[in-house]
Amino acid sequence: MKNFKFLLLSACVALAACTTQKSSEQQISDKGTKWNWDKGTIVVETPERPAGQTSVIELALPKMETVRVGFVGLGMRGPGAVERFTYIPGVEIVALCDYEKERAENCQKYLQKASMPKAAVYSGEKGYEELCKRDDIDLVYIATDWLHHFPVAMCAMENNKNVAIEVPSAMDLKECWALIDMSEKTRKHCMILENCCYDWFEMNTLNMAQQGVFGEVVRAQGAYIHNLEPFWDHYWKNGENDKLGWRLEYNMKHRGDVYATHGLGPVAQALDIHRGDRMKTLVAMDTKSVVGKALVEERTGQACKNFRNGDHTTTLIRTENGKVIEIQHNVMTPQPYNRLYQLTGTKGFANKYPIQGYALDAKQMSASGVAPEVDNLNSHSFMPKKDMEALVEKYQHPILKKYGEMAKEVGGHGGMDFIMDSRLVYCLQNGLPLDMDVYDLAEWCCLAELGELSMDNNCAAVAFPDFTRGEWNKVKGYKHAYASPEEESVAMEKAKAFTAKLKEKGAAEWAAATKEEIK
């Protein structure tokens, strides 16, 4: 019996040794990512920074009196961006590009309405390459389908252009690292166009968090829960044989939170991600696909045997400093629109969906500089409307004070798009770091592939790579950059003077074109 026990123990030790040896072997995902097991956690490779490159944290370029812009991708979101930019002083729209020439040409109407000169038009599969080669463009604004965000951005930076990329800006880790390396190599801005960071509640709540209203924020939630049933047929299709459109097809082929940034971006700022903290590990889990498979079968008339993405995905993230983030994604099932935005602090609470409000007790409310309406205010429920309004008035974000009213007039998801675009131009004109950099882009976009790795390995923990390559703690606390009032005034006067002359030129050109048409 003793011999049997000894043999059994020896076999177990040998099996454990074999398992340990096997788990340490490097593996490669279907996306080409190198990873290995480390004590039950999947660890992906963080490549060394190539020689000659340095960090672009807080990258600031020389002031641009005029920001000359080329737009690529003029389908669902691009035209709105073109129109918004006509309202920003000191901007010249130089070029318009889309796969379909007609869509690019249609955007000239926004320039005509604003009395701005016609822009050059580029089209076709590689039209963006010619646009990027121009020497009179400072910024390439990319609003294509997801699969073209990366090649257009790389082409633009290779041609010494700054880029602003719609979300998600990168679809996998390989693209994240390539954009980081290109931004570091060329010293050009690579900004993720995450508009939800500029919504009213998020901005005011961020200001409160930064001023200590909630104490230490220890947990946050975000999501993109948006039933896309009314929109599936409106996504661009590549010819008559394309029955699905690019977005449904992408969800069919890829697993994970493929659209994480709307929920993750605002809470990442509130938690100072890569400005004193970093996302360390995640665990992801999804439901089976029911609605997704049915959508494919309905459109193709054939059985869908493998729809990769679940109808609902949940990702839990733990940070280096012991904070927890929960992110959800669901574009399939019938639910009210919800980004979940929620901050849980040691002294207070903020929540946007489905109920918008704050929870503080009277002591913390008073400590925050706002006298509560009643002495027994507590955090067991949301504060009364008057208290909430007083708190918001006290902590209204400076950026909202500057752009809020104009944003409501111009629009774009309620105005947050205009605020985002205005801040981008403001930072370029004043030579300041942008609100979101290429490391934010990578942090917020990598959930797709890392979540896929987790779910494909029985929902295992996955360690985040360090996109800053050791510099996530260099900056202490997230902050927006501002010019001095004097510098800001000088830049704005120059911008307004340029736009006035540009509109004179544009009005004359459009008048001449109208006369020619009449003839």
Side-chain angles (χ1 to χ4, degrees), residues 82-301:
V82 174
E83 184 175 22
R84 293 193 302 273
F85 267 72
T86 65
Y87 289 91
I88 303 175
V91 166
E92 181 178 6
I93 298 172
V94 175
L96 304 167
C97 176
D98 192 84
Y99 188 93
E100 298 176 10
K101 185 176 181 180
E102 183 181 4
R103 297 204 298 194
E105 289 284 7
N106 283 341
C107 286
Q108 300 280 20
K109 65 186 179 185
Y110 302 117
L111 305 186
Q112 182 177 15
K113 179 184 177 183
S115 296
M116 290 183 170
K118 271 190 175 185
V121 168
Y122 298 88
S123 60
E125 186 176 355
K126 298 292 184 179
Y128 67 87
E129 293 181 353
E130 295 305 311
L131 180 148
C132 292
K133 290 176 183 176
R134 293 180 65 113
D135 59 6
D136 58 351
I137 291 178
D138 304 303
L139 172 70
V140 176
Y141 195 106
I142 304 166
T144 64
D145 63 89
W146 298 350
L147 296 177
H148 287 88
H149 287 169
F150 174 74
V152 178
M154 289 293 285
C155 180
M157 284 192 285
E158 286 168 353
N159 285 278
N160 293 310
K161 309 294 189 295
N162 298 288
V163 296
I165 319 171
E166 268 288 2
V167 297
S169 307
M171 305 312 296
D172 54 38
L173 291 173
K174 183 178 180 181
E175 292 184 359
C176 288
W177 285 115
L179 290 172
I180 288 171
D181 286 340
M182 186 59 69
S183 180
E184 292 182 348
K185 178 182 177 182
T186 61
R187 315 305 295 172
K188 293 297 180 183
H189 290 300
C190 182
M191 175 178 164
I192 180 171
L193 290 167
E194 185 37 73
N195 56 354
C196 294
C197 290
Y198 297 92
D199 208 352
W200 271 252
F201 188 87
E202 282 86 335
M203 293 216 79
N204 290 331
T205 303
L206 174 63
N207 194 29
M208 293 178 198
Q210 291 171 330
Q211 303 300 321
V213 171
F214 309 115
E216 183 179 3
V217 179
V218 295
R219 193 179 192 279
Q221 286 192 74
Y224 185 71
I225 297 174
H226 185 191
N227 182 13
L228 294 181
E229 182 180 4
F231 304 102
W232 291 118
D233 290 331
H234 296 283
Y235 292 104
W236 185 75
K237 297 179 176 64
N238 189 13
E240 59 182 19
N241 293 327
D242 184 352
K243 306 297 184 183
L244 302 181
W246 62 264
R247 188 163 184 173
L248 182 58
E249 182 179 37
Y250 195 89
N251 275 272
M252 179 179 70
K253 292 181 177 179
H254 301 273
R255 196 179 189 184
D257 191 335
V258 296
Y259 203 67
T261 68
H262 283 342
L264 183 56
V267 300
Q269 291 182 344
L271 292 175
D272 299 325
I273 296 301
H274 88 244
R275 295 166 179 85
D277 201 356
R278 64 182 290 263
M279 294 189 286
K280 189 175 181 181
T281 55
L282 67 73
V283 173
M285 188 176 296
D286 60 358
T287 70
K288 65 180 181 178
S289 171
V290 178
V291 177
K293 289 179 68 174
L295 286 170
V296 172
E297 291 174 350
E298 177 185 335
R299 282 156 175 74
T300 63

